[in-house]
Amino acid sequence: MSQYQTFSAEDAVAYAQEFGGLENPSALVGAQEVGDGNLNLVFKIFDAQGVSRIIVKQALPYVRCVGESWPLTLDRARLEAQTLREHYQHCPQHTVNIVHFDPALAVMVMEDLSDHRIWRGELIKGINYPQAPRQLGEYLAQTLFHTSDFWLHPHHKKAQVANFVNPEMCEITEDLFFNDPYQVHERNNYPPELEQDVAALRDDAALKLGVASLKHRFFSHAEALLHGDIHSGSIFVAEGSLKAIDAEFGFFGPIGFDVGTAIGNLLLNFCGAPGQLGIRDAAAAREQRLADIREVWTTFAERFQALAVEKTRDDALAYPGYVSQFLQKIWHDAVGFCGTELIRRSVGLSHVADIDTIRDEEMRHACLRHAITLGKALIVIADRIENVEALIARVRQYS
């Protein structure tokens, strides 16, 4: 199978038997397609006892949730596999392991994480994994430091930037994050009851200037190899464990984008908690999300700082005080990108279950308005929010 064809369950089993690296490949006898995302087929491969042993993932040549009218490059599978392999090299404890990749078929075989759960679903149910924020901060610090100018030789860094050029997937981000929500567009997706709130976004000059600045940074700041879509739906958790998956948006971009996207999804859960949980449980969940945000950022910043002090190879970047200055820039970027994540998940094409699954319509609309209002504020005043405690204070102010 060297020419592209869309896999059936039987194809996935045969492929896993050949390339899964298992001691007894004939034990693999069945498959179930479980992909619930927008872009790919994902097969769990089972043995005769019904135990899922390995995962086969294939990129489709179009956006799955839209159809063939929105074609996509299959090269994104290469970029995903290479991004995850690069991140695994620097942070194997928090990155899914890619066992095999075939660029012609746009197929990868990866470790099975059936003993883990998608973090978003656990957050919605109010289940707390105390180690997850710290582990996410560690993942961000290790992967972003070791693919940045602080660690890579300039020649290697420039070659890596060229290798990870990802124009089609970046264009999706550029449209969904920075364009669509701020104009009338057919891809936008929000209740008619929110039309006045959404129209206000289109008419807010300060907001649109802030978004333009963030988009320009996304275009031009090739600071590190980003995951590109690191949200609570692309993270698996278990007791004591966290693993990042789904990196098809990987490219060299501004470090604050990954950090801001991660924080933004914790804030989306914060906004949706009153609609998902009882009053007391929602209040506790909100406090936990703020503590999680504090720990993600604190762990990231402290670990990035420590890695820079210990390992920075460039004499200029190693000058005392520079890494602290750089981290402050990352922080301001992260706050702004966090705001764009809140708005695009409320107004744009792709929403989150934290809010979309709220059964009470009036409450769901209220949670969406909260996310829009908070997102707008964070974009406009990002440069005035000096630290994570100031961010938490602002979130409380807008709650």
Side-chain angles (χ1 to χ4, degrees), residues 229-251:
D229 197 26
I230 187 70
H231 53 75
S232 54
S234 58
I235 294 171
F236 272 103
V237 291
E239 191 64 38
S241 177
L242 176 145
K243 293 269 190 174
I245 62 169
D246 289 352
E248 56 258 80
F249 286 85
F251 85 113

Side-chain angles (χ1 to χ4, degrees), residues 76-215:
R76 73 182 192 277
R78 172 189 67 84
L79 289 158
E80 177 178 12
Q82 290 186 356
T83 298
L84 290 170
R85 282 177 165 172
E86 188 73 24
H87 284 188
Y88 187 87
Q89 177 183 341
H90 303 299
C91 195
Q93 69 273 33
H94 300 314
T95 310
V96 67
N97 183 26
I98 304 301
V99 177
H100 172 81
F101 171 64
D102 184 328
L105 286 169
V107 168
M108 66 189 77
V109 183
M110 65 185 75
E111 69 172 306
D112 182 81
L113 294 173
S114 293
D115 58 341
H116 288 58
R117 297 289 181 269
I118 294 291
W119 197 18
R120 188 184 304 285
E122 302 297 274
L123 291 172
I124 291 170
K125 291 184 286 188
I127 300 173
N128 187 39
Y129 288 78
Q131 85 293 338
R134 175 179 49 80
Q135 292 177 335
L136 176 56
E138 179 73 14
Y139 166 80
L140 292 167
Q142 292 287 351
T143 58
L144 296 171
F145 172 82
H146 285 104
T147 58
S148 75
D149 294 292
F150 288 89
W151 174 250
L152 296 179
H153 186 280
H155 292 179
H156 187 198
K157 166 76 182 308
K158 291 175 176 62
Q160 287 284 74
V161 171
N163 184 50
F164 283 93
V165 169
N166 196 355
E168 287 198 15
M169 302 305 285
C170 284
E171 185 178 17
I172 292 175
T173 301
E174 290 150 13
D175 285 341
L176 299 187
F177 270 80
F178 309 113
N179 291 347
D180 293 359
Y182 309 97
Q183 61 187 351
V184 176
H185 199 285
E186 62 184 5
R187 281 194 296 258
N188 287 337
N189 174 27
Y190 56 88
E193 291 84 353
L194 269 65
E195 180 57 43
Q196 186 174 348
D197 304 85
V198 177
L201 301 178
R202 301 194 290 265
D203 296 332
D204 191 321
L207 174 66
K208 295 182 82 168
L209 282 172
V211 171
S213 179
L214 290 163
K215 184 177 183 181

Side-chain angles (χ1 to χ4, degrees), residues 45-104:
I45 312 299
F46 297 93
D47 62 20
Q49 287 70 48
V51 176
S52 181
R53 300 287 299 279
I54 204 156
I55 302 296
V56 173
K57 179 176 181 178
Q58 183 180 41
L60 293 169
Y62 51 83
V63 177
R64 184 177 184 179
C65 66
V66 175
E68 295 183 13
S69 63
W70 190 344
L72 277 182
T73 175
L74 293 174
D75 189 50
R76 73 182 192 277
R78 172 189 67 84
L79 289 158
E80 177 178 12
Q82 290 186 356
T83 298
L84 290 170
R85 282 177 165 172
E86 188 73 24
H87 284 188
Y88 187 87
Q89 177 183 341
H90 303 299
C91 195
Q93 69 273 33
H94 300 314
T95 310
V96 67
N97 183 26
I98 304 301
V99 177
H100 172 81
F101 171 64
D102 184 328

